[in-house]
Amino acid sequence: MGKIIFYEDKNFQGRSYEGMSDCADMSSHLSRCNSCRVESGCFMVYERNNYMGNQHFMKRGEYPDYMSMMGMGSGIRSCRMIPMHKGQYRMKIYERENFGGQSNEMMDDCDNIQDRYRMSDCQSCHVMEGHWLMYEQPQYRGKMMYMRPGEYRSFRDMMSGQRFMSMRRITDMC
């Protein structure tokens, strides 16, 4: 079980909201969110309501000036708790949309799909086990996206043309 506390102002000031599950619309609890403290678990926070827009991974720790630290222009508008996974991690990545082109099954982190698999692009995937973070650039840099078990047929439709070049498992590091 995770616990995150959001604050309206920087440095944990102003009204607060304590979350222990998903929240699709923070505006019903706070007018804005500029700092947060993760007391346990891991969360993805989103720039827009309904888990949309830029997203960032949050693990246990304090984030006193979240907006300037993470570059989120409008603050946090929604959040999703990431359940802990015990067991294997498996994901199949595909070069093209709709599970087309070259494919590779992954069971561990990959800092660069081009170097490891000779894939120039990743446009769809099937997460079979575990929870993953996918990054637009090699070495786990750039915009990221949280992937839970399921089929993702087109990253272009989900993230307006974004492609992913590195992937990391969300392990018990929370």
Side-chain angles (χ1 to χ4, degrees):
M1 188 76 135
K3 181 177 176 183
I4 188 169
I5 305 169
F6 298 99
Y7 298 86
E8 284 190 331
D9 299 321
K10 296 177 185 177
N11 299 313
F12 317 111
Q13 301 295 308
R15 289 182 31 212
S16 65
Y17 166 69
E18 190 173 296
M20 297 190 340
S21 62
D22 297 354
C23 181
D25 184 2
M26 300 275 297
S27 66
S28 60
H29 305 287
L30 300 173
S31 61
R32 63 189 176 279
C33 178
N34 289 303
S35 60
C36 67
R37 178 179 288 128
V38 178
E39 293 191 356
S40 61
C42 295
F43 291 83
M44 288 304 291
V45 296
Y46 300 82
E47 217 172 18
R48 298 192 345 231
N49 293 342
N50 298 313
Y51 320 111
M52 303 293 287
N54 289 330
Q55 48 188 283
H56 295 279
F57 176 72
M58 309 288 280
K59 61 182 181 179
R60 187 180 175 115
E62 294 188 342
Y63 305 87
D65 186 1
Y66 185 75
M67 284 177 55
S68 64
M69 189 170 83
M70 299 293 187
M72 286 182 102
S74 59
I76 300 167
R77 299 286 186 227
S78 57
C79 77
R80 177 167 275 152
M81 188 188 78
I82 300 172
M84 289 314 306
H85 175 74
K86 303 287 185 202
Q88 284 190 313
Y89 288 78
R90 288 181 45 228
M91 173 171 58
K92 194 163 192 175
I93 58 173
Y94 297 86
E95 192 173 34
R96 293 197 296 261
E97 294 176 305
N98 295 311
F99 313 119
Q102 180 183 341
S103 68
N104 289 283
E105 187 168 314
M106 301 175 52
M107 296 179 75
D108 59 356
D109 300 349
C110 177
D111 63 357
N112 190 325
I113 63 168
Q114 193 163 18
D115 290 349
R116 182 180 289 179
Y117 300 116
R118 303 291 181 244
M119 287 177 72
S120 60
D121 208 353
C122 175
Q123 287 294 322
S124 58
C125 76
H126 179 199
V127 177
M128 295 165 276
E129 296 181 75
H131 299 259
W132 298 74
L133 289 176
M134 298 182 72
Y135 298 82
E136 71 176 340
Q137 297 172 16
Q139 307 300 322
Y140 316 114
R141 297 180 187 270
K143 291 181 182 176
M144 66 177 75
M145 180 176 227
Y146 166 54
M147 309 297 259
R148 54 189 177 179
E151 293 184 346
Y152 301 87
R153 294 187 168 276
S154 174
F155 297 145
R156 182 168 308 162
D157 293 342
M158 295 168 55
M159 297 287 287
S160 49
Q162 188 168 337
R163 64 186 206 161
F164 297 102
M165 298 302 291
S166 56
M167 297 84 183
R168 175 178 279 164
R169 297 163 296 149
I170 301 174
T171 61
D172 59 1
M173 65 183 170
C174 302

